[in-house]
Amino acid sequence: MVLSALEMRDHRRKNRFADYQDIITSPIAPGVSILAPAYNEGESIVQNAQSLLSLHYGKFEVILINDGSKDDTLQKLIAAFQLEKTNYAYFSEIETKEVKGVYKSVNSSFSKLTVIDKENGGKADALNAGINLSEMEILACIDVDCILSPESITRMVRPFMEETNRKVIAVGGVIGIANNCDIQDGTVTKYRIPTSLLGRFQVIEYLRAFLMGRMAWSRINGLMLISGAFGFFKRDVVMAVGGYFPKTVGEDMELVVRMRRYMEERKIPYKVGFIPDPLCWTEVPESEEVLSRQRNRWMRGTIETLQLHKEIKMNPKYGVLGTVSYPFWNIFEKAGPLFEITGFIYTIILLIIGDFSAVYFFALLLMMYLLTLMVSSFSILYEQLSYNNYKDKKDLNRLILTILIEPFLVHPKVILWGLKGHIDFITGKGGWGNMIRKGFKKAEDRKNIVTQSQES
Amino acid sequence: MKKLYFFFLSLFLQSLIITTAAGQSPQSLTDSTAFQDFLIKQKEIQGLSVRFLIEKSDFTDSIPGDSIFRFAETSPGLLSSVEITQFGNFPKLLDTLSALDPTWEFLIFSQPSTFIATQEYVANLIRNGDIQELSKEIAPDKDLVLLASNFQYVPFFKYKLPFSSDYKLFIVVAIIAFFLISASVMILFMVIFKAKKNKKEQLMKDYEPLIAEALTAILFEKEIDEIKGLSEAEVLAIFPAGLLSRPLFQSVLIEKIIGLNKKMKGDFKDKLKALYQKLGLDKVSMANLHGKRWDKVATGLVQINEMDLIEALPEVKKHANSPNFHVRTQAIGTLLNLSEKMDLTFLKDQNYPLSSWQQMNYLRIIKFLYPQKELQMLSLFDSENQSVRLFGYKLVRLIGRVDLLENLEKSAINAPDDEKIEIIKTYADLGAYMQADFLNRCLLSENPKLQQAAAQAIGVIGNNESVPIIENLLKSQPDFPMKMILLKSLQKLDSNQFEKFTGIQTDIDTQRIKRHLLDPLLNHV
């Protein structure tokens, strides 16, 4: 909490002296390639592409990757943007599934837009195809259905331009929750909290994760995860490590860890930055079924990434990454559900054998509950002080109520979904079990691994 | 009652006999009274019970508590109760039956037993440790109070509080207390902080119309000389009493004046500056330069820059090499903007590397100043600081100083490869055809980055000698990206030769690249 507060204070002080208008037109500002994979996004793809093309920045290109959609995603793009298939000499520097065509518009108003049509290979594979085609210095990897603020590029590019003694290899941003909010011209104009408990729970969870967790990690340069929905990366480093790894469901986290390993192994001073300003919004799942699948995937992604990079575990050679971030993720993110379910089973056993101490049980329960309340309430107050987006008092009251009931009504479900992720990993769901268990000896090992395109 | 006394008397007598016989029976069993007390205190002894006996003739239909005794005829004319195993309420039961004149007998494992046998049975149980004498109290040999008085009192702290002796529980409760206190303090802090912030915002809102009104009146009603000639009393009278000395009011006022200054031109700008100084706000800006917090210093620098406070330049200069990135950036920006004599020579001696962010800021100022004064851009080429040299090469390109190409050529001779790459970009952008030989040499470099930069530039400023070099490189099987660049440059340099070359080279990559380069839709890619 202290670290995140300090980081936020510094960020807000720095913001006072930043003239973001300069970046838009300056020839010194780096170019940005926006990569947005799309799979069966026919309903909203045109609107999303238009929104991306209208971002306020001078030097940028938008690369949409149609990842073998079964709907009319490609046809809609062709019609809306007057696209034609080109003779683009696509070179698979990072190997991907087959690229069927590269499309450009005959209308010069859409000259910034490129569309790649390829065989379905998953998000990571689609992003790799986009990376191969990209020509700019910075890669902005986003989810195509995300709403980006017009200022998003200028704000996210700043850390890449500011550092002098360290190379900024990646910058993460906050993902805001757009459910139930009013949106106009790519910005949320009126914030409201979601109507469902699951939605409200995710608002609190996102505040905790982004405003507190990632800000604190950023303070000690220990960030291991940049959200796949909104992350900026230095292209040369991404290419050097071989792009995204398509064999894991946690491709966003895995790439950041591998890029960091690469820099640590070469002893190049580097930084992974984080911008807490609200610049990107997405709709979060409010149905239990979809949310459980998402959490299951996140858990498997975490386990797979930690497994792939077990070489760095408690290894002082990897600095903060190996000695702080990795153990933290291993204990609290990966093993958290295991600890909690073990505690639950142990309590049941104590009850059965009659060795149960009600005093200790309730004391510990109270302790954990208070800790949760403390952290959650801090994150809300923190948001109120920093951005004050949820202005309606009723919204605030409902958030506070959610804080009070969430540990009993939602948290147990999250634990169970996490456990299901563990089970799915152990039973080898996804089919990459053996290879992932073996792990990478070096960051660049990824380049030597035969991936989907060669196997299929 | 008579029978009860008789029972205890008989117990007493029998116990006397036992004591004499056994000799080693416990003290509590020595007589019938002691045995009775013993049984009552023990309440229950395993295997031992007692039952009451009454004459059938004494039996009436309404015996009190018959549900407990449940008398039944066990031998002619004699009724027996059920076995009683709880001795604690024995006297009470006897009292209930006193009118019937009952007798009783002991039973060991439901078998009738004599008093002596019963006593022996109980004594065995005690000896074997099967039962503990609840009634046993060890009488001290000496008076404890007297013994205690021989020792000085020492308090035994360990178990003073049972709570603190359970250290695990103590830790848990301490953590709970810590969380509670921390949470309360934090929330309290936040609430106070937010209340203060809201109050501050409200005050700022209140100040704004006051300031706007006063500034409008002065700017439109007074000439610059009148503003300069305002007396102290007149200045203080501009705003409601006491407001001008408040730091928050000063801060809003400064912001408002700077905001107006950015939008205004000519006379109004001069009036605003005069008013700024008359109100003593220049002193506030100067004081900021001595602040301990970097953001305060940077704020002071921004204010000085915006209000053209030339008199503050010596102080500003002190911050030009500040270890803080933001302070350094603002100080250099201010110096470049305000100093008549200031040129880029001071950048030459910068110790810290220039970030892209700083370069972007300086470029904006330099672009504005370049037509007005001599900036000594050349001096940057000789800096010890590589980032400054690179910025210098970039400036030549971005400002279009073709006249400096000659100097650039001299610098390029001994420049390291990454500087050469920047110089090549400048050559290409400015169309420096005379540098084609230099590019041809760089094309043969072993550094792939330099080779790539030269290959890109040679398409624009290459010469006849460049074509065979490109062709030779293409024949040496470069990787795909390099092949693409080389073919693109060849196409730009000599389209006939490009057609000829790609006509001979029929490998897939060359043909794909050819189709790519000839595709009109991809010309801008």
Side-chain angles (χ1 to χ4, degrees):
Chain A
M1 285 190 278
V2 174
L3 288 175
S4 60
L6 290 173
E7 187 66 7
M8 179 65 89
R9 185 198 63 183
D10 283 0
H11 173 76
R12 291 179 70 78
R13 279 182 185 169
K14 280 181 196 170
N15 252 2
R16 281 169 49 201
F17 305 103
D19 185 352
Y20 290 104
Q21 289 303 310
D22 262 6
I23 312 181
I24 297 174
T25 51
S26 178
I28 289 179
V32 177
S33 296
I34 299 173
L35 312 178
Y39 178 72
N40 293 345
E41 300 277 354
E43 276 187 27
S44 57
I45 190 71
V46 173
Q47 198 188 345
N48 292 335
Q50 277 166 343
S51 164
L52 291 176
L53 287 168
S54 63
L55 291 173
H56 295 175
Y57 198 69
K59 218 174 352 174
F60 79 103
E61 60 178 348
V62 176
I63 301 173
L64 294 179
I65 309 109
N66 177 42
D67 190 28
S69 295
K70 290 177 181 137
D71 66 356
D72 56 353
T73 302
L74 183 65
Q75 288 69 34
K76 283 200 170 166
L77 284 170
I78 289 171
F81 298 102
Q82 297 160 265
L83 298 177
E84 278 184 12
K85 194 171 180 176
T86 65
N87 288 318
Y88 195 97
Y90 176 80
F91 174 62
S92 214
E93 194 167 348
I94 304 168
E95 58 173 329
T96 61
K97 289 261 186 181
E98 190 199 343
V99 168
K100 293 191 277 190
V102 175
Y103 293 78
K104 293 288 292 181
S105 176
V106 290
N107 184 341
S108 59
S109 313
F110 305 125
S111 62
K112 286 181 189 301
L113 178 68
T114 305
V115 174
I116 304 175
D117 182 34
K118 66 180 277 292
E119 291 283 338
N120 179 262
K123 188 180 169 186
D125 192 67
L127 282 167
N128 282 340
I131 293 167
N132 283 332
L133 208 85
S134 65
E135 296 203 327
M136 304 289 182
E137 199 181 321
I138 309 278
L139 301 171
C141 301
I142 63 157
D143 280 355
V144 76
D145 56 350
C146 273
I147 302 153
L148 291 190
S149 152
E151 277 195 319
S152 54
I153 302 183
T154 53
R155 299 242 172 185
M156 295 293 282
V157 153
R158 184 179 144 196
F160 289 104
M161 296 181 70
E162 261 186 4
E163 280 292 332
T164 49
N165 301 319
R166 294 183 287 184
K167 182 169 184 164
V168 176
I169 57 168
V171 175
V174 172
I175 312 288
I177 292 180
N179 305 43
N180 207 22
C181 296
D182 292 344
I183 294 154
Q184 205 176 354
D185 301 329
T187 305
V188 173
T189 49
K190 168 82 180 165
Y191 278 85
R192 280 188 219 95
I193 59 165
T195 48
S196 70
L197 174 66
L198 280 182
R200 291 199 299 276
F201 156 71
Q202 287 173 88
V203 169
I204 294 162
E205 196 187 32
Y206 276 47
L207 290 179
R208 274 198 310 244
F210 288 109
L211 288 188
M212 289 182 63
R214 295 200 194 164
M215 284 296 278
W217 282 119
S218 166
R219 183 84 186 171
I220 57 166
N221 197 19
L223 260 179
M224 260 176 70
L225 171 64
I226 282 177
S227 174
F230 187 51
F232 284 57
F233 302 90
K234 196 91 174 153
R235 187 178 185 273
D236 55 347
V237 184
V238 174
M239 292 303 284
V241 299
Y244 280 96
F245 185 51
K247 294 185 179 182
T248 169
V249 286
E251 72 285 334
D252 43 5
M253 182 180 180
E254 199 281 327
L255 177 66
V256 177
V257 176
R258 194 149 32 87
M259 286 172 77
R260 294 188 61 137
R261 274 188 75 173
Y262 176 83
M263 301 303 278
E264 296 279 1
E265 282 163 8
R266 270 153 199 75
K267 298 188 182 353
I268 306 169
Y270 72 98
K271 188 189 171 184
V272 176
F274 187 75
I275 296 292
D277 302 333
L279 301 169
C280 172
W281 296 269
T282 190
E283 293 259 347
V284 295
E286 292 191 69
S287 102
E288 217 164 273
E289 193 193 338
V290 182
L291 187 63
S292 69
R293 280 206 301 271
Q294 184 198 56
R295 294 310 156 104
N296 182 312
R297 201 171 57 246
W298 286 5
M299 179 54 78
R300 277 188 287 135
T302 303
I303 301 171
E304 286 172 0
T305 303
L306 295 176
Q307 196 66 33
L308 277 167
H309 296 282
K310 60 188 174 190
E311 191 72 21
I312 65 174
K313 181 163 62 184
M314 293 308 290
N315 189 341
K317 190 179 133 191
Y318 293 98
V320 175
L321 177 69
T323 53
V324 185
S325 306
Y326 188 98
F328 178 90
W329 273 81
N330 219 354
I331 296 166
F332 295 102
E333 300 290 344
K334 179 185 154 187
L338 298 176
F339 284 134
E340 292 197 40
I341 201 72
T342 308
F344 180 74
I345 294 167
Y346 181 63
T347 309
I348 300 284
I349 292 170
L350 288 181
L351 272 170
I352 293 168
I353 65 172
D355 203 9
F356 176 79
S357 165
V359 176
Y360 279 114
F361 176 77
F362 285 108
L364 287 169
L365 192 69
L366 181 69
M367 189 174 86
M368 296 317 296
Y369 184 64
L370 280 174
L371 177 66
T372 314
L373 289 194
M374 189 173 82
V375 175
S376 300
S377 53
F378 181 80
S379 65
I380 290 182
L381 285 164
Y382 198 38
E383 192 278 337
Q384 288 287 298
L385 287 178
S386 311
Y387 298 106
N388 198 16
N389 288 328
Y390 297 101
K391 290 189 172 68
D392 194 336
K393 273 193 175 175
K394 278 183 192 166
D395 277 350
L396 262 183
N397 291 341
R398 292 176 80 189
L399 278 182
I400 290 165
L401 180 71
T402 309
I403 286 177
L404 294 172
I405 58 175
E406 172 255 317
F408 302 107
L409 298 183
V410 188
H411 186 71
K413 289 179 192 168
V414 176
I415 294 302
L416 286 176
W417 298 332
L419 282 172
K420 182 80 183 10
H422 273 273
I423 294 164
D424 285 350
F425 173 74
I426 292 162
T427 53
K429 192 171 178 182
W432 308 111
N434 287 334
M435 191 277 306
I436 281 170
R437 279 181 185 93
K438 206 174 153 194
F440 293 140
K441 292 281 171 225
K442 292 268 173 203
E444 285 172 292
D445 280 1
R446 180 257 177 276
K447 289 190 205 166
N448 307 324
I449 289 173
V450 180
T451 51
Q452 291 159 321
S453 54
Q454 286 184 338
E455 283 176 350
S456 57
Chain B
M1 279 305 278
K2 265 188 273 175
K3 290 218 169 173
L4 182 65
Y5 298 129
F6 177 75
F7 167 72
F8 287 121
L9 183 66
S10 65
L11 279 177
F12 172 67
L13 291 171
Q14 285 181 36
S15 66
L16 273 178
I17 300 162
I18 292 165
T19 313
T20 317
Q24 290 178 357
S25 290
Q27 196 74 27
S28 50
L29 309 180
T30 50
D31 57 55
S32 60
T33 313
F35 191 62
Q36 176 214 1
D37 290 343
F38 170 78
L39 289 179
I40 290 166
K41 280 180 183 169
Q42 287 297 128
K43 291 184 178 146
E44 194 179 7
I45 291 173
Q46 60 193 57
L48 183 65
S49 57
V50 70
R51 69 179 174 196
F52 293 99
L53 306 168
I54 56 171
E55 296 292 331
K56 195 177 177 184
S57 55
D58 295 339
F59 188 76
T60 58
D61 287 340
S62 57
I63 296 170
D66 191 34
S67 60
I68 301 167
F69 301 112
R70 283 180 275 149
F71 282 104
E73 193 168 355
T74 49
S75 55
L78 195 66
L79 297 176
S80 303
S81 73
V82 292
E83 292 178 32
I84 308 289
T85 53
Q86 298 296 320
F87 306 118
N89 52 0
F90 195 79
K92 201 176 158 190
L93 293 174
L94 270 176
D95 273 351
T96 313
L97 296 173
S98 58
L100 300 173
D101 199 18
T103 57
W104 53 87
E105 66 181 346
F106 289 106
L107 297 112
I108 296 173
F109 297 109
S110 302
Q111 294 301 312
S113 174
T114 63
F115 175 72
I116 295 168
T118 305
Q119 212 174 19
E120 187 58 29
Y121 169 70
V122 172
N124 276 334
L125 288 178
I126 293 170
R127 258 197 308 278
N128 297 338
D130 293 333
I131 57 169
Q132 292 291 321
E133 279 186 85
L134 298 177
S135 54
K136 191 170 184 178
E137 285 176 12
I138 301 161
D141 295 339
K142 293 175 184 172
D143 188 341
L144 278 177
V145 178
L146 282 174
L147 281 172
S149 66
N150 291 332
F151 295 92
Q152 199 177 350
Y153 170 71
V154 179
F156 196 31
F157 287 112
K158 191 178 172 187
Y159 299 109
K160 193 178 173 188
L161 281 172
F163 169 70
S164 57
S165 65
D166 187 346
Y167 71 93
K168 281 185 277 185
L169 187 64
F170 181 77
I171 290 170
V172 170
V173 174
I175 293 172
I176 289 173
F178 170 73
F179 282 163
L180 255 179
I181 294 165
S182 319
S184 312
V185 168
M186 213 155 46
I187 290 167
L188 192 70
F189 170 75
M190 291 276 186
V191 169
I192 293 170
F193 194 82
K194 192 169 184 192
K196 273 191 174 176
K197 198 180 169 192
N198 289 346
K199 194 181 165 188
K200 190 179 165 185
E201 278 171 9
Q202 189 55 47
L203 273 175
M204 285 167 85
K205 264 187 194 170
D206 295 344
Y207 291 156
E208 274 181 14
L210 289 174
I211 292 168
E213 200 182 323
L215 289 181
T216 314
I218 291 170
L219 289 175
F220 286 99
E221 288 168 16
K222 292 197 189 307
E223 291 302 317
I224 187 160
D225 292 333
E226 287 179 281
I227 295 172
K228 282 180 180 171
L230 285 172
S231 67
E232 201 175 319
E234 283 171 320
V235 169
L236 288 173
I238 298 173
F239 300 106
L243 276 186
L244 197 56
S245 58
R246 289 189 190 174
L248 182 64
F249 185 81
Q250 285 176 349
S251 150
V252 180
L253 186 57
I254 289 172
E255 243 175 64
K256 273 277 159 201
I257 292 177
I258 288 176
L260 279 175
N261 192 51
K262 275 183 182 170
K263 291 173 197 160
M264 303 263 183
K265 280 182 180 175
D267 244 15
F268 280 109
K269 241 177 156 48
D270 295 336
K271 282 183 189 178
L272 281 168
K273 188 181 171 183
L275 185 65
Y276 196 83
Q277 286 170 322
K278 207 73 205 170
L279 290 167
L281 299 176
D282 56 334
K283 290 183 185 70
V284 176
S285 301
M286 291 281 279
N288 281 340
L289 296 187
H290 303 291
K292 281 181 184 168
R293 274 168 38 189
W294 70 261
D295 59 316
K296 204 169 179 186
V297 178
T299 305
L301 289 167
V302 171
Q303 290 165 356
I304 287 164
N305 192 3
E306 293 293 342
M307 295 311 298
D308 299 344
L309 301 176
I310 298 161
E311 59 276 20
L313 282 179
E315 282 299 314
V316 173
K317 210 168 183 177
K318 288 177 189 169
H319 295 288
N321 222 350
S322 162
N324 185 286
F325 167 83
H326 299 277
V327 172
R328 208 162 62 230
T329 309
Q330 293 298 337
I332 292 173
T334 308
L335 284 173
L336 280 173
N337 219 7
L338 300 187
S339 176
E340 288 289 323
K341 293 174 190 168
M342 186 59 72
D343 51 39
L344 294 175
T345 46
F346 75 96
L347 253 186
K348 180 188 157 191
D349 304 322
Q350 273 274 298
N351 297 330
Y352 300 96
L354 282 181
S355 71
S356 304
W357 187 264
Q358 284 171 311
Q359 291 181 24
M360 182 181 74
N361 282 332
Y362 302 159
L363 176 67
R364 176 171 45 85
I365 298 166
I366 290 165
K367 268 186 174 173
F368 172 74
L369 294 176
Y370 165 63
Q372 300 164 26
K373 62 181 176 185
E374 177 51 53
L375 290 170
Q376 302 294 340
M377 212 176 283
L378 203 55
S379 63
L380 301 181
F381 296 0
D382 301 325
S383 173
E384 293 289 313
N385 186 333
Q386 195 194 31
S387 68
V388 173
R389 290 200 300 274
L390 285 168
F391 180 54
Y393 307 147
K394 235 182 257 180
L395 275 180
V396 174
R397 174 168 84 238
L398 297 171
I399 293 181
R401 291 285 302 268
V402 183
D403 57 309
L404 294 180
L405 282 175
E406 209 174 307
N407 303 83
L408 211 55
E409 187 184 348
K410 285 176 195 162
S411 297
I413 298 168
N414 297 318
D417 284 355
D418 40 359
E419 286 182 43
K420 276 184 185 159
I421 292 170
E422 199 61 56
I423 292 171
I424 287 171
K425 280 183 194 168
T426 304
Y427 285 160
D429 274 20
L430 297 181
Y433 292 99
M434 66 295 262
Q435 299 301 333
D437 289 338
F438 173 71
L439 291 189
N440 289 339
R441 285 196 301 276
C442 290
L443 256 185
L444 300 171
S445 165
E446 290 193 354
N447 180 342
K449 283 184 182 170
L450 179 61
Q451 199 182 31
Q452 212 172 61
Q456 272 166 342
I458 218 156
V460 186
I461 52 170
N463 57 16
N464 289 337
E465 289 167 33
S466 307
V467 176
I469 298 173
I470 291 174
E471 286 184 343
N472 284 337
L473 283 171
L474 280 167
K475 283 172 191 164
S476 66
Q477 299 300 319
D479 60 21
F480 189 90
M482 189 61 184
K483 193 177 240 179
M484 181 99 166
I485 294 167
L486 288 168
L487 280 168
K488 199 173 181 178
S489 290
L490 183 62
Q491 185 200 24
K492 280 182 187 168
L493 263 181
D494 188 339
S495 54
N496 291 330
Q497 195 59 30
F498 170 77
E499 282 296 335
K500 203 174 158 189
F501 182 83
T502 51
I504 299 164
Q505 299 289 324
T506 52
D507 62 283
I508 298 168
D509 282 351
T510 305
Q511 292 312 309
R512 279 178 66 212
I513 293 170
K514 183 184 178 182
R515 283 196 296 277
H516 178 129
L517 294 174
L518 295 176
D519 189 331
L521 269 179
L522 294 170
N523 276 343
H524 59 278
V525 175

